[in-house]
Amino acid sequence: GAGVSQSPSNKVTEKGKDVELRCDPISGHTALYWYRQSLGQGLEFLIYFQGNSAPDKSGLPSDRFSAERTGGSVSTLTIQRTQQEDSAVYLCASSLRPSHTDSYNSPLHFGNGTRLTVT
Amino acid sequence: AQSVTQLDSQVPVFEEAPVELRCNYSSSVSVYLFWYVQYPNQGLQLLLKYLSGSTLVESINGFEAEFNKSQTSFHLRKPSVHISDTAEYFCAVRPGGYNKLIFGAGTRLAVHP
């Protein structure tokens, strides 16, 4: 079936502009994650959504970053007033969280990411 | 705070040679451990995981990793690598009771003929 879909695949923007990155998770996956991958760095956790629960926003680096997940499906990561240090690959992942098993072992399924370049 | 350290950023190796990619973690609680792989121009995908039970876990393509609690390590090994194993490998931990998966910086494995 279809995997996690992210758009756009590449985004070049000028410093100070706002950008929106979209993630379409695998159908039926209730958990959705955003990570950021900078050159030479690991994957930096940004935010986590699980069903209708309040999201875990503990990884968002500043108040310029925000994310929404509408209807428990598609998510949008918004970066306001972009800075050059925001340049990175933004990865979205989803996972299944069946109620009858330990949720922590559900593997993450990643999209191919959005490469953001702020000039 | 939890963290993951991958000691080698790049590992070059010849085809059919053995390889070990090192991973150490720190956590004050029990953890679940994972290795993810990112092949060129592809998204990350799960390679193998340790949840409980036997400390040695294997993947379908010949990789194995051993959980060593005393050394807080989860090194990835393969006795004989192929060109197709060329990829970036990420070690990750999920502390018990937490939702987030914490990744290391990654190790780029380059297999040469």
Side-chain angles (χ1 to χ4, degrees):
Chain A
V4 176
S5 177
Q6 291 188 245
S7 61
S9 55
N10 280 284
K11 177 71 176 178
V12 180
T13 190
E14 292 181 352
K15 178 181 173 181
K17 295 287 180 70
D18 298 351
V19 295
E20 284 190 353
L21 312 180
R22 176 188 168 103
C23 173
D24 208 334
I26 293 173
S27 177
H29 280 194
T30 58
L32 187 147
Y33 302 76
W34 282 99
Y35 284 86
R36 177 167 70 174
Q37 184 178 19
S38 304
L39 189 63
Q41 305 290 319
L43 276 72
E44 177 188 4
F45 169 80
L46 298 177
I47 190 169
Y48 163 78
F49 295 91
Q50 173 56 53
N52 296 321
S53 303
D56 177 351
K57 304 179 181 180
S58 60
L60 294 178
S62 77
D63 59 7
R64 296 187 294 106
F65 288 72
S66 62
E68 291 185 340
R69 189 178 185 193
T70 53
S73 181
V74 172
S75 177
T76 302
L77 177 69
T78 301
I79 309 174
Q80 295 179 310
R81 305 181 302 282
T82 52
Q83 304 294 314
Q84 288 187 329
E85 61 263 27
D86 299 335
S87 296
V89 176
Y90 289 82
L91 293 168
C92 177
S94 68
S95 71
L96 188 63
R97 186 178 177 178
S99 59
H100 59 284
T101 64
D102 181 351
S103 65
Y104 303 121
N105 65 21
S106 300
L108 271 62
H109 298 261
F110 283 86
N112 287 335
T114 294
R115 183 176 297 278
L116 175 66
T117 304
V118 182
T119 61
Chain B
Q2 293 82 19
S3 66
V4 179
T5 302
Q6 291 185 245
L7 298 168
D8 306 296
S9 59
Q10 295 187 61
V11 173
V13 64
F14 287 109
E15 194 173 19
E16 298 183 4
V19 71
E20 178 179 81
L21 307 183
R22 295 178 292 172
C23 173
N24 288 89
Y25 68 92
S26 66
S27 177
S28 56
V29 299
S30 61
V31 297
Y32 301 101
L33 296 157
F34 305 81
W35 277 96
Y36 280 78
V37 59
Q38 187 173 28
Y39 297 104
N41 302 315
Q42 295 186 29
L44 277 91
Q45 54 189 283
L46 180 68
L47 183 62
L48 48 74
K49 61 185 178 184
Y50 169 78
L51 305 176
S52 64
S54 172
T55 57
L56 185 66
V57 291
E58 299 177 353
S59 72
I60 59 173
N61 59 351
F63 281 93
E64 63 180 30
E66 185 162 19
F67 170 51
N68 187 319
K69 187 175 182 180
S70 63
Q71 296 186 4
T72 59
S73 68
F74 191 54
H75 301 330
L76 182 69
R77 302 183 182 96
K78 188 169 185 180
S80 175
V81 293
H82 301 286
I83 296 287
S84 59
D85 293 324
T86 293
E88 187 147 21
Y89 293 79
F90 293 89
C91 181
V93 301
R94 176 178 267 155
Y98 289 83
N99 295 318
K100 66 187 74 170
L101 201 58
I102 301 168
F103 285 85
T107 297
R108 187 171 298 276
L109 175 65
V111 182
H112 302 285

